[in-house]
Amino acid sequence: QQQVRQSSQSLTVWEGETAILNCSYENSAFDYFPWYQQFPGEGPALLIAIRSVSDKKEDGRFTIFFNKREKNLSLHIKDSQPGDSATYFCAASVSGGSNAKLTFGKGTKLSVKS
Amino acid sequence: AQTIHQWPVAEIKAVGSPLSLGCTIKGKSSPNLYWYWQATGGTLQQLFYSITVGQVESVVQLNLSASRPKDDQFILSTEKLLLSHSGFYLCAWSRDWGEETLYFGSGTRLTVL
């Protein structure tokens, strides 16, 4: 059973467009949702994160929209740039405990064409 | 500033041979440490975590073992590699007890032939 699901394996947008990456989850206890960005041959890096008490988190061109009732969230990348081409992982965890056990989705590979 | 260094960058090994991968964290005392595995083009699977020297918890059974011999060092190993061990191994750390943000190293690409 896939606890965190990303709806698209890949997504292609043109430079300047808004890329929308979708994610849904099964476990109602999840309350922390980070998005990680990974370039080929590198480790993932935290891009932006949201807690379940919020419905929106914005950081520059990156915005997370969160719907607790529907158990889904999306990452919007405004004014996409070729440098944003990477794989984006949605993840989720339950706060507390000694193990930061993030459950990751399978990732969405974003390609931004110029 | 904290830095995380993984070694080696890449390995090509034969089935049945032993393996040892390592990572070192500098600039943070008593970090929580993690090993993740990523199949090519796949998701990240947590393998082990450690909150203190000498203490390692296994999350999944993949015929691998981990040890934390020093506060800043985490080792992943096996006596006998399988083809299924191929992939990208990532070491990560988090700041404190319950801190969810993970900081990943640059990984080790393992190919088992």
Side-chain angles (χ1 to χ4, degrees):
Chain A
Q1 183 191 12
Q2 202 179 326
Q3 291 214 53
V4 176
R5 185 171 293 143
Q6 292 183 244
S7 57
S8 303
Q9 268 194 308
S10 63
L11 175 68
T12 300
V13 300
W14 290 101
E15 184 175 357
E17 290 184 334
T18 296
I20 300 175
L21 290 73
N22 296 306
C23 178
S24 61
Y25 61 97
E26 304 277 338
N27 188 349
S28 301
F30 286 148
D31 59 1
Y32 174 70
F33 302 88
W35 284 86
Y36 279 78
Q37 180 188 55
Q38 185 179 30
F39 295 105
E42 297 182 12
L46 177 66
L47 184 65
I48 185 172
I50 193 167
R51 295 200 180 272
S52 58
V53 294
S54 303
D55 56 17
K56 182 181 174 182
K57 177 77 176 288
E58 196 168 349
D59 185 356
R61 297 187 295 111
F62 302 93
T63 303
I64 299 174
F65 293 93
F66 180 72
N67 187 323
K68 188 172 183 176
R69 189 172 57 87
E70 299 291 327
K71 290 196 278 189
N72 61 45
L73 60 157
S74 59
L75 173 68
H76 291 226
I77 305 175
K78 207 168 24 177
D79 186 25
S80 295
Q81 303 297 310
D84 295 329
S85 297
T87 299
Y88 292 82
F89 290 94
C90 174
S93 70
V94 179
S95 295
S98 58
N99 177 12
K101 191 175 187 309
L102 288 172
T103 300
F104 285 84
K106 291 189 174 182
T108 297
K109 186 174 182 180
L110 174 67
S111 298
V112 181
K113 295 196 168 188
S114 57
Chain B
Q2 298 84 12
T3 58
I4 176 170
H5 172 62
Q6 280 191 247
W7 73 90
V9 172
E11 279 268 45
I12 300 175
K13 303 278 276 186
V15 169
S17 62
L19 174 77
S20 182
L21 307 178
C23 87
T24 301
I25 318 299
K26 294 299 182 191
K28 174 73 179 84
S29 62
S30 305
N32 285 4
L33 297 175
Y34 307 84
W35 278 111
Y36 276 80
W37 175 75
Q38 184 178 30
T40 302
T43 190
L44 294 101
Q45 170 70 59
Q46 190 183 90
L47 302 176
F48 299 93
Y49 73 93
S50 170
I51 61 172
T52 192
V53 175
Q55 184 179 331
V56 177
E57 300 296 330
S58 172
V59 178
V60 293
Q61 293 299 322
L62 283 179
N63 293 307
L64 295 167
S65 60
S67 64
R68 187 169 177 176
K70 301 182 195 176
D71 185 54
D72 64 353
Q73 196 173 77
F74 208 18
I75 306 294
L76 183 72
S77 60
T78 183
E79 294 287 320
K80 216 176 223 190
L81 278 166
L82 307 172
L83 283 174
S84 58
H85 286 137
S86 291
F88 198 41
Y89 288 85
L90 291 152
C91 181
W93 65 277
S94 63
R95 292 183 191 281
D96 293 304
W97 181 284
E99 168 61 50
E100 299 114 328
T101 301
L102 292 180
Y103 302 91
F104 286 90
S106 52
T108 295
R109 173 72 57 192
L110 174 66
T111 303
V112 182
L113 302 173

